[in-house]
Every structure is written in C-alpha cells, then in structure tokens.
Amino acid sequence: MKRKYIKPAGLLMAVCIAVTGLAGCGKEKVATRTDFALDTVITIAAYGQSDEGILKEPFNRIRELDGKLNAFSEDSEISKINAAAGLEPVAVSEDTFNAVKKGLEYSEKTGGAFDITIGPLVDLWKIEAPGEGVVPEQSDIDAARALVDYRKVVLDEAAHSVFLKDPGMKINLGAIAKGYIGDAVKSVLQSEGVERAIINLGGNVVLLGGKSNREPFTVSLENPEDPLSNGSISDASTLGVLRERDNSIVTSGDYERYFIGPDGKRYHHILDPKTGYPAESGLHQVTVITDVSADADALSTSFFVMGLDQAMAYIGETEGVEAVFVTTDNRIVATKGMEDAFIFDEQNYGNQYTLEFTEP
Ligand code: ADP
Ligand code: MG
C-alpha cells in the first residue's frame, strides 16, 4: 500500500461526529458528501444547504492540497524540497510555503518535540497499520535521528523557497497537513456563503458556526481503549461529547497506527525526535480544541510527545487553547475551560476513568 500522511482506512476517526438526530432533524436541510481522500474518510456537512454542488469545490481543494503537501507522492512540492536537500532551495506555492512555515513555527515553539523534518524517522519505522512494522536497528535509528533538525530548514519569504541544508533531510507534514487542509476547506465553504458546517477529515474536525444560533455542534470523543475499527460512526465507543462551535477539534493517540513488537510493546506513529522511538510520555490520547485547525493538529501531536505537565504549562502560556488528555493510567484530565463543553459519559466510563478539570 502506498503510504500517505494520514492513517489508513480502517483506523480512522479519532473523533467522530455524533450524527444521532441528524436524520431526524426535520426541516433543516443539510448538504452532505462523503469521499475517500487523504487516505481517510472525509465528510463535509453544510447546514441549511440543499445543493450538494457546493461541496464540489471543497473536495477539489482537498485534492489540490494533498497533491502539494503529501510527502509520499513523488511529484508533490514537499517531495521536490526533499529531493533537493543539501543541494538547492526549491520555490513552492503559497500553500506549501505557509504549511511549512506554520510547521516550523511549532517546531520552534515546542523546542523540537514537534519537528517537521521527522521524515527520515517516519520512513524508517514504516508504521502503517496494526500488525505491520518491525523495530529498526539502533544504528539506523541513530542515523535517521541525526537528519532530524528543524533548525536546518531555510525559508526565503521573497523567493517563496524552502531549503534543507543537509542531504538526506526530509520534511513530513503528517502531523499538521490535515489541519491546514481543514482550515482551507472552511475558507472555501465561507466563500460559498455557508455559515454552518462540520468538516470531518478522518477525525480532524473543523466546525463552522454551530448547529443553530443557540445550539453548538456535538462531537464525540473516541475511547482510546476501544477505538473505532471500521470507520463507521454508528458503533462508536465514546468517552463523552464535546459541545463546540466555530472551533477545530483534533485528536492524536497511540492507538491509531501501531504494531506490537516481539517484546509485547506497542510501537505507534508519534515519534519523539529526541530518542527516535515512539513517544512514551504517559499519554494515550490528546485532544486539542482551538479555532485554527492547523494549530490544533500541530499541538495535539506536540502535546502527545511533551506529556501532560509540559503540555499544561504550554497551554497556560497560550491564548485560546483547550485540551482533554487521557493518560495511560486511566485519568482524563481536561483544562478548566472545558468544564461546560466536555460532557463525560460517567455512566459507562465512570468505573474505568477518573475525570479532573485542571487550571493550566
Ligand atoms: P494522525 O495523522 O494519525 O491524525 P498526528 O496528527 O498526531 O496523527 O500525526 C502523526 C504523524 O505525524 C505521523 O504519522 C508522522 O508522519 C508525523 N510525526 C510523527 N511524530 C512527529 C513529531 N514528533 N513531529 C512532527 N511530526 C511527527
Ligand atoms: Mg497532529
């Protein structure tokens, strides 16, 4: 299977939309289209709209951006930057330049817990789906790790070019591309006059407005111990719901793409650039809620690598970011700002998890 930056089909929906009631919502018209793209299932639901034709342009935009940002397709702009590593800068489109720039900002802000030059490690581990993959040789991990360094990415604003200083370096935007694309889709919908919509890129959710002026949208939070296995949303095992409007909700977890090693350990797809191994920070799942989806996407991956304490400290210093963490010792820790927005399913999960709201 050709790998892209998105989790493969069959492992989608870190978060899924609770559609219960959608079918029965009576008068409200909702134009909905579901397609397979970005190696995942994409659903866009435009509320108050009856013409599905308005969803054509958003899906075109998804494919256009996938063609530019996907490190696994040879003719993407990211692949061209990677092929010219150590040789020369590559001039790219505004989209690619902005996505790389945003990724670089987060690499800096997180001191490299998030690193867009993670490509050599991603290629080495080849973590695709449960059951696939082997633990690489330590010498190979060391060699790949030596090529990961966001400080060696040179951006030229005037020329719109990106240069990787060392040969062998590789950008991989897997941890931020879906977020960037979600924001772009939201802009297309807005330019078409859509005021309320749910954009679900395989679990990266972007909300435009709310269900109505009074009612927020409802987004289900997947149970990391019992994640959806077939992409269907009706059999969701969910820890609770998030009641949100105008925000993006993005989840990262160690159960999305992984293999079990001969040592019985779970080797998953979120890598710690410092060790070269899957991050072991005591977290099982991280959900970030903020208005820009590229930010939510970058932060969910960053927080997963950083661990709970560092992530909370980061949130404490940042405006407008909320989060819900699930730890490996079965605690759900949410930021204080989520007290009204996160409704825990106490009845079904009160025995398995403890819930606390914390001031970051
Ligand atoms: P998903 O793509 O499954 O929704 P994430 O947004 O957390 O999950 O992104 C994980 C992907 O990001 C990996 O598959 C890999 O391509 C890339 N990646 C892994 N570790 C890092 C890291 N520390 N920094 C930046 N990107 C990473
Ligand atoms: Mg991410």
Side-chain angles (χ1 to χ4, degrees):
M1 188 187 81
K2 195 157 180 221
R3 224 155 31 108
K4 292 199 179 178
Y5 42 65
I6 307 299
K7 45 183 117 62
L11 293 172
L12 356 136
M13 308 278 185
V15 184
C16 65
I17 308 295
V19 285
T20 352
L22 223 175
C25 23
K27 281 149 254 137
E28 170 90 307
K29 297 185 190 96
V30 186
T32 307
R33 182 171 151 189
T34 298
D35 254 351
F36 194 82
L38 309 174
D39 250 19
T40 191
V41 176
I42 313 269
T43 298
I44 302 177
Y47 283 66
Q49 305 287 329
S50 47
D51 176 14
E52 278 176 32
I54 56 159
L55 300 177
K56 192 167 175 238
E57 207 38 48
F59 275 96
N60 287 345
R61 185 79 173 114
I62 291 172
R63 286 179 216 286
E64 181 198 4
L65 285 171
D66 184 31
K68 290 177 177 174
L69 304 179
N70 187 349
F72 298 110
S73 87
E74 257 172 44
D75 50 1
S76 73
E77 290 185 318
I78 294 299
S79 293
K80 286 179 185 147
I81 295 168
N82 293 344
L87 298 172
E88 58 188 5
V90 175
V92 293
S93 65
E94 197 175 342
D95 282 322
T96 302
F97 191 81
N98 288 340
V100 170
K101 192 174 165 187
K102 179 75 115 175
L104 213 48
E105 272 169 33
Y106 276 98
S107 305
E108 281 157 9
K109 279 189 205 172
T110 63
F114 181 92
D115 194 322
I116 55 164
T117 65
I118 196 88
L121 278 171
V122 172
D123 292 354
L124 181 65
W125 278 92
K126 293 190 185 72
I127 296 170
E128 293 172 11
E132 296 180 37
V134 284
V135 181
E137 295 289 334
Q138 185 62 47
S139 56
D140 291 336
I141 290 177
D142 292 341
R145 202 160 48 105
L147 292 167
V148 178
D149 189 350
Y150 66 93
R151 290 163 300 188
K152 292 181 178 166
V153 180
V154 183
L155 297 189
D156 183 332
E157 291 275 351
H160 256 215
S161 68
V162 184
F163 177 50
L164 305 178
K165 282 187 180 170
D166 291 350
M169 283 181 73
K170 275 186 172 180
I171 291 179
N172 181 309
L173 297 181
I176 193 171
K178 265 187 295 178
Y180 185 88
I181 295 171
D183 292 322
V185 167
K186 181 174 158 183
S187 294
V188 174
L189 289 171
Q190 282 174 310
S191 72
E192 291 180 320
V194 175
E195 288 173 357
R196 292 173 297 120
I198 300 174
I199 303 155
N200 184 359
L201 310 180
N204 276 48
V205 174
V206 185
L207 304 176
L208 177 56
K211 199 167 178 192
S212 69
N213 285 341
R214 280 172 295 117
E215 270 290 288
F217 283 121
T218 305
V219 177
S220 300
L221 188 64
E222 188 178 25
N223 178 9
E225 290 295 338
D226 181 23
L228 289 172
S229 57
N230 61 3
S232 139
I233 37 186
S234 57
D235 63 351
S237 162
T238 59
L239 292 183
V241 295
L242 304 167
R243 290 165 55 78
E244 294 286 343
R245 57 189 309 132
D246 282 316
N247 268 335
S248 173
I249 298 127
V250 177
T251 298
S252 285
D254 63 3
Y255 52 88
E256 296 173 330
R257 275 191 279 157
Y258 65 90
F259 67 87
I260 303 292
D263 51 0
K265 243 166 106 164
R266 185 190 293 213
Y267 292 90
H268 61 85
H269 72 311
I270 302 174
L271 305 170
D272 184 341
K274 295 204 167 63
T275 62
Y277 281 81
E280 286 185 68
S281 63
L283 292 174
H284 207 5
Q285 183 193 65
V286 180
T287 300
V288 174
I289 303 102
T290 196
D291 56 349
V292 176
S293 194
D295 294 333
D297 197 359
L299 284 175
S300 67
T301 311
S302 303
F303 290 169
F304 194 95
V305 176
M306 290 157 74
L308 181 61
D309 294 347
Q310 265 195 58
M312 277 293 186
Y314 186 104
I315 295 170
E317 290 165 7
T318 317
E319 266 307 293
V321 175
E322 304 290 345
V324 180
F325 300 90
V326 181
T327 68
T328 48
D329 57 357
N330 291 350
R331 290 158 64 210
I332 302 174
V333 184
T335 50
K336 198 88 176 158
M338 292 304 292
E339 245 167 356
D340 292 333
F342 175 49
I343 317 296
F344 178 49
D345 181 353
E346 178 87 48
Q347 200 179 347
N348 286 309
Y349 295 102
N351 287 336
Q352 196 182 342
Y353 295 98
T354 61
L355 171 65
E356 56 203 279
F357 290 95
T358 304
E359 190 75 60

